[in-house]
Amino acid sequence: VPHSTALNNAPTAGALLAILRDERIATRATLGEKAELSRLALNQRLALLLDADLVCAAGQEPSTGGRPPIQFQFNPLAGFLIGADLGISVARIAITDLVGRVLAYAEERRLIEDGPEVTLPWVARQAESLLSGLDKKLDNVWGVGVGVPGPVEFEAGRVVSAPFMSGWDHYPIRLWFEDRFGCPAVIDKDANIMALGEHRSHWRRFDHILYVKAGTGVGCGVIAMGDLHRGANGSAGDIGHIQHRGDGEPLCRCGKTGCVEAVAGGWALVRDLRAQGIQVSTAEDVVRLAGGHDRVALQAIRRAGRVLGEVLADVVNFFNPSVVIVGGTIGQAEGELLAGIRETVYQRSLTLATKNLLVVPSALGLRAGVIGAAQLVSEAILAPGAIDQRLAAMQGRSLQESTIPMASAGS
Amino acid sequence: VPHSTALNNAPTAGALLAILRDERIATRATLGEKAELSRLALNQRLALLLDADLVCAAGQEPSTGGRPPIQFQFNPLAGFLIGADLGISVARIAITDLVGRVLAYAEERRLIEDGPEVTLPWVARQAESLLSGLDKKLDNVWGVGVGVPGPVEFEAGRVVSAPFMSGWDHYPIRLWFEDRFGCPAVIDKDANIMALGEHRSHWRRFDHILYVKAGTGVGCGVIAMGDLHRGANGSAGDIGHIQHRGDGEPLCRCGKTGCVEAVAGGWALVRDLRAQGIQVSTAEDVVRLAGGHDRVALQAIRRAGRVLGEVLADVVNFFNPSVVIVGGTIGQAEGELLAGIRETVYQRSLTLATKNLLVVPSALGLRAGVIGAAQLVSEAILAPGAIDQRLAAMQGRSLQESTIPMASAGS
């Protein structure tokens, strides 16, 4: 007879949900077998998940004579997530289901420089407005994921030393959202959430991928062994301020000279086009011109691609990824930018490192950020331990609700 | 009453050994509690481990009145490992205990170009000779770890596309050793085993580290989240053939021009010193000259440090490690090389990425390779599943031994 504590190793309700998500659809019999749970233990856990609406009945399995067995599946509409991507000059926000599928979306030209005390309340108001459009309320929100254009202390959930986010340094973004929405929030660097969004949505079968954000600034999100690599200080992927050794060495907005971003960043393209008398003010303008086949804009973007290609060639030698995904505002001018990058990477990287390397455009486009932000918080709240905590809290609440009248009567 | 299959989740003997190794020393009571095992289940597993000599009694705990409880500990001398580091021009080999502590060591000037059919039998003969010096035999060897100076298909255990290992391409190194020694073997790139050796011996509390091998060639081993990052094709860490953009662009032995190695590799230093009329033929000669304060050698090494520093500055921006360890033959000229590297990395990398960055000399020196190779195979053979397999095989053998006379009699 096994010692009673051996039961501690048996799957909890949260772990059972993870097994069901792997299976997609399963009967009681399949679940009991996969989870190695007794009928009784399985039913107890399933009841909790059904109560919380996290599991629902799916279509019936073809009958083999008797009563057909009920099929169960995970219900991603049991709760909702907020995914926000706060860029330098555009803010994007989405309401998604529990696995990051977009149900409602909004974007607006907003400057990150306005600071947290203007920006965060705007996010909250937008979220509430999108939720009400879906006929949902604040307490339907289970998690908030937010991307920002600068390095983040991930555990603390706040920005550190971001050169273009004045007013944000050490502001407690995570706590602000947790306080406002009463649910877990996670904050990460924009390139990281975009990398996660692309990986989880399209490239999950590859362990090592890079996402290059070619926007106003230049950044990179790194997936190693299937997970985000943030580095020792959360600054991993910062390829925008690697020194590019070309002819001219333009001044970067970081104060150094010759940074990759000072040649290939959206703001640098705007600077270069203006110097040639072309009226542009944002990276979006440059991409629009290129879309209209403007020769100068196309050349500028192609050159940016080559410069990005040079730094990526080094990074590919060092990191040996399977896929390099190119996104961001400038990344929307796929053809020219990718051509420049591919040309340089395939020429300069080691043959072994490029043998199976894919260099591809972003599949999620400019929504990579909001989707990735939602997926980041999704993974936190759907972790078995987090689900178990939620179920325990719900049981506590319903217990409390049923005892409140008696307690009130007694006081 | 728990379902019987719940027992499948209870720790096996292999898992119990892992718990004991974490605890270092433990009584039956502590082990039972940590493993959540019944007295009976614990004793069954402990008996298997004691039989295999993997666990032995340690000193007694101070008596609390009655009979003092026996204390148990892992016995790393239950078996032995072979660690080999086959460099371009020097081969090193060690016999270690099960956790990679060196018990016997030998090195010899040998050229990797001699090919596998000359080199591998030499490794085997050296190993047997070192073992007999320890009064041990071949069947005391539980695992073989081997490092080679080129990229490796890790699962297949063979070299791929290594430019300076003619004759080794696709040679089944792992199978050769497994066949010769009748135990598991693992093969990896030299910089990887060195990185692992340094990490496991001295830097285990840091998740992200780089080991730079500054030898005849230049390579790098990458530890991400505490484990080796080999990349999609096993070529991760290849910083030697990143293009250095300096004034001259010397021809590299890989056929390209301007590689880091063509300026900062040991062979390039030999070339440069010879061009100045100094008689040197190996990287070791250059380091020896520098040790005797030869001005030209010191300047050449310092310059190599600056060039390594430039590529490492980019890599530090991208990867954001906690520690950069500098080793290899040229790395033995610590002072000059480190000064050159530090000067450039701290100047060129982002402030956030270098805030807590340590750039340090190798603690294991030229033995990092053999120690790391042994530790690599150690982790494979001490994994709970591998221990359980070994114990099952031993039980099978002792069962077979006791039945052989009867079977022979019957035939």
Side-chain angles (χ1 to χ4, degrees):
Chain A
V1 178
H3 195 258
S4 68
T5 51
L7 245 190
N8 291 352
N9 294 311
T12 60
L16 185 65
L17 183 66
I19 292 169
L20 178 57
R21 289 179 64 204
D22 271 354
E23 295 291 311
R24 288 171 186 273
I25 293 185
T27 60
R28 271 199 176 80
T30 314
L31 276 178
E33 195 180 309
K34 294 276 171 188
E36 300 189 351
L37 279 172
S38 70
R39 188 95 189 170
L40 178 66
L42 176 71
N43 284 344
Q44 285 170 338
R45 287 158 177 76
L46 209 49
L48 289 173
L49 293 168
L50 287 160
D51 270 1
D53 212 20
L54 272 162
V55 165
C56 59
Q60 303 295 94
E61 216 173 44
S63 171
T64 55
R67 192 165 56 118
I70 306 175
Q71 302 235 64
F72 296 99
Q73 63 183 15
F74 166 55
N75 172 23
L77 292 168
F80 297 85
L81 304 175
I82 300 172
D85 173 15
L86 308 176
I88 296 274
S89 56
V90 180
R92 300 182 167 89
I93 181 166
I95 307 297
T96 78
D97 67 8
L98 288 180
V99 295
R101 275 184 302 219
V102 174
L103 305 172
Y105 175 84
E107 64 178 62
E108 198 173 302
R109 294 201 61 78
R110 294 192 67 86
L111 298 176
I112 196 79
E113 283 175 350
D114 290 345
E117 278 158 25
V118 174
T119 306
L120 302 188
W122 174 85
V123 172
R125 285 196 308 274
Q126 280 291 321
E128 284 166 37
S129 145
L130 289 173
L131 278 166
S132 77
L134 293 165
D135 207 20
K136 299 295 164 195
K137 301 212 187 77
L138 269 192
D139 59 0
N140 296 119
V141 177
W142 286 23
V144 181
V146 181
V148 293
V152 165
E153 278 181 11
F154 184 68
E155 299 303 329
R158 56 191 192 178
V159 171
V160 280
S161 318
F164 321 113
M165 292 182 69
S166 54
W168 290 82
D169 214 29
H170 291 94
Y171 193 89
I173 308 176
R174 182 169 67 75
L175 294 180
W176 192 93
F177 279 108
E178 290 188 345
D179 190 46
R180 176 73 177 243
F181 289 98
C183 65
V186 289
I187 318 299
D188 211 339
K189 193 171 68 166
D190 54 4
N192 286 355
I193 58 169
M194 292 165 187
L196 192 79
E198 294 285 347
H199 183 257
R200 298 302 192 256
S201 307
H202 291 279
W203 301 99
R204 206 184 265 270
R205 70 185 187 285
F206 293 97
D207 286 337
H208 312 299
I209 74 167
L210 299 182
Y211 173 90
V212 181
K213 189 201 72 171
T216 304
V218 171
C220 174
V222 184
I223 303 271
M225 279 310 291
D227 266 318
L228 272 172
H229 170 76
R230 297 188 174 90
N233 302 79
S235 77
D238 206 332
I239 60 169
H241 302 278
I242 285 181
Q243 271 191 283
H244 170 252
R245 278 140 282 189
D247 309 318
E249 295 214 333
L251 183 68
C252 186
R253 48 182 190 163
C254 75
K256 295 193 182 184
T257 57
C259 296
V260 164
E261 193 177 287
V263 184
W267 64 267
L269 295 182
V270 168
R271 175 202 62 203
D272 292 349
L273 263 65
R274 277 187 174 169
Q276 296 185 59
I278 298 171
Q279 286 308 314
V280 285
S281 60
T282 64
E284 285 82 3
D285 294 343
V286 179
V287 171
R288 212 171 297 121
L289 273 180
H293 307 290
D294 179 274
R295 198 178 49 79
V296 180
L298 286 172
Q299 277 175 351
I301 289 175
R302 181 102 182 197
R303 174 159 173 264
R306 286 201 201 99
V307 170
L308 282 178
E310 280 183 31
V311 65
L312 287 173
D314 296 354
V315 163
V316 163
N317 277 346
F318 170 76
F319 189 69
N320 187 204
S322 293
V323 188
V324 174
I325 300 161
V326 181
T329 305
I330 304 291
Q332 301 311 299
E334 300 178 2
E336 289 310 308
L337 193 73
L338 270 184
I341 291 176
R342 284 179 174 145
E343 179 184 325
T344 320
V345 167
Y346 288 117
Q347 178 198 323
R348 294 175 68 129
S349 292
L350 293 167
T351 320
L352 186 60
T354 55
K355 202 171 68 174
N356 305 310
L357 178 70
L358 296 170
V359 181
V360 299
S362 161
L364 301 177
L366 296 175
R367 293 194 181 189
V370 294
I371 292 170
Q375 284 171 336
L376 185 66
V377 72
S378 161
E379 295 186 1
I381 62 160
L382 292 181
I387 289 292
D388 290 330
Q389 271 187 11
R390 170 174 295 273
L391 295 175
M394 286 175 65
Q395 283 186 292
R397 261 203 306 279
S398 60
L399 212 67
Q400 210 175 31
E401 276 159 18
S402 63
T403 55
I404 279 172
M406 287 181 65
S408 312
S411 69
Chain B
V1 178
H3 195 258
S4 68
T5 50
L7 245 190
N8 291 353
N9 294 311
T12 61
L16 186 65
L17 183 65
I19 292 169
L20 178 57
R21 288 179 65 204
D22 271 354
E23 296 290 312
R24 291 174 185 270
I25 293 186
T27 60
R28 269 198 176 82
T30 314
L31 276 177
E33 194 180 308
K34 293 277 171 186
E36 299 189 353
L37 281 171
S38 69
R39 186 94 190 171
L40 179 65
L42 176 71
N43 283 343
Q44 285 170 340
R45 287 156 176 77
L46 209 48
L48 289 173
L49 293 168
L50 286 162
D51 270 0
D53 213 18
L54 273 163
V55 165
C56 60
Q60 303 295 93
E61 219 173 41
S63 171
T64 54
R67 194 166 53 118
I70 305 175
Q71 303 235 61
F72 295 99
Q73 64 183 15
F74 166 56
N75 172 24
L77 292 167
F80 297 86
L81 305 174
I82 299 172
D85 173 14
L86 308 176
I88 297 274
S89 57
V90 179
R92 298 181 169 89
I93 180 166
I95 308 298
T96 78
D97 66 9
L98 289 180
V99 295
R101 274 184 302 219
V102 175
L103 305 171
Y105 176 83
E107 64 177 63
E108 199 174 300
R109 293 201 62 79
R110 296 192 67 87
L111 297 176
I112 197 80
E113 285 176 350
D114 290 346
E117 279 159 26
V118 172
T119 306
L120 301 188
W122 174 84
V123 172
R125 284 197 308 277
Q126 280 291 321
E128 285 166 36
S129 147
L130 289 174
L131 278 167
S132 76
L134 292 166
D135 206 19
K136 297 295 165 195
K137 301 212 187 78
L138 270 191
D139 57 3
N140 297 118
V141 177
W142 285 23
V144 182
V146 181
V148 293
V152 165
E153 278 181 12
F154 185 70
E155 300 303 328
R158 56 190 193 180
V159 172
V160 281
S161 318
F164 321 113
M165 291 181 70
S166 54
W168 291 82
D169 213 29
H170 291 94
Y171 192 90
I173 309 177
R174 181 168 68 75
L175 295 180
W176 192 93
F177 279 108
E178 290 187 345
D179 191 48
R180 176 73 176 245
F181 289 98
C183 65
V186 288
I187 318 298
D188 211 338
K189 193 171 69 164
D190 54 4
N192 286 355
I193 57 167
M194 292 166 188
L196 192 79
E198 294 284 346
H199 182 257
R200 298 302 193 256
S201 307
H202 292 279
W203 301 98
R204 205 183 266 270
R205 71 185 185 283
F206 293 97
D207 286 339
H208 312 301
I209 73 167
L210 299 181
Y211 173 90
V212 181
K213 191 201 72 172
T216 303
V218 171
C220 175
V222 184
I223 303 270
M225 278 310 292
D227 267 318
L228 273 171
H229 170 77
R230 297 188 175 90
N233 302 80
S235 78
D238 208 333
I239 59 168
H241 301 278
I242 285 181
Q243 273 190 283
H244 170 253
R245 279 138 282 189
D247 309 319
E249 294 215 332
L251 183 68
C252 185
R253 47 183 191 163
C254 76
K256 295 193 181 181
T257 56
C259 296
V260 165
E261 192 177 288
V263 184
W267 65 267
L269 295 183
V270 167
R271 174 202 64 203
D272 292 349
L273 262 63
R274 276 187 175 169
Q276 297 185 59
I278 298 172
Q279 287 308 315
V280 286
S281 60
T282 64
E284 285 83 1
D285 294 343
V286 178
V287 172
R288 213 170 297 121
L289 274 181
H293 306 289
D294 179 276
R295 200 179 45 81
V296 180
L298 286 173
Q299 277 176 353
I301 291 175
R302 181 101 182 197
R303 177 161 171 262
R306 285 201 202 98
V307 170
L308 283 178
E310 282 184 29
V311 63
L312 287 173
D314 295 356
V315 163
V316 163
N317 277 347
F318 170 75
F319 189 69
N320 187 203
S322 294
V323 188
V324 174
I325 300 162
V326 182
T329 304
I330 304 292
Q332 301 312 299
E334 300 178 1
E336 289 311 308
L337 194 73
L338 270 184
I341 291 174
R342 285 180 174 146
E343 179 184 324
T344 320
V345 167
Y346 288 116
Q347 180 197 322
R348 294 174 70 129
S349 292
L350 294 166
T351 321
L352 187 59
T354 55
K355 202 172 66 173
N356 305 310
L357 178 70
L358 295 171
V359 181
V360 298
S362 161
L364 301 178
L366 296 174
R367 293 193 180 189
V370 294
I371 292 170
Q375 283 172 335
L376 185 65
V377 71
S378 161
E379 294 185 2
I381 62 161
L382 292 181
I387 289 291
D388 291 331
Q389 272 187 9
R390 171 174 293 273
L391 295 175
M394 285 175 64
Q395 282 187 293
R397 262 204 304 279
S398 60
L399 213 66
Q400 211 176 31
E401 276 159 20
S402 63
T403 55
I404 280 171
M406 286 180 64
S408 313
S411 72

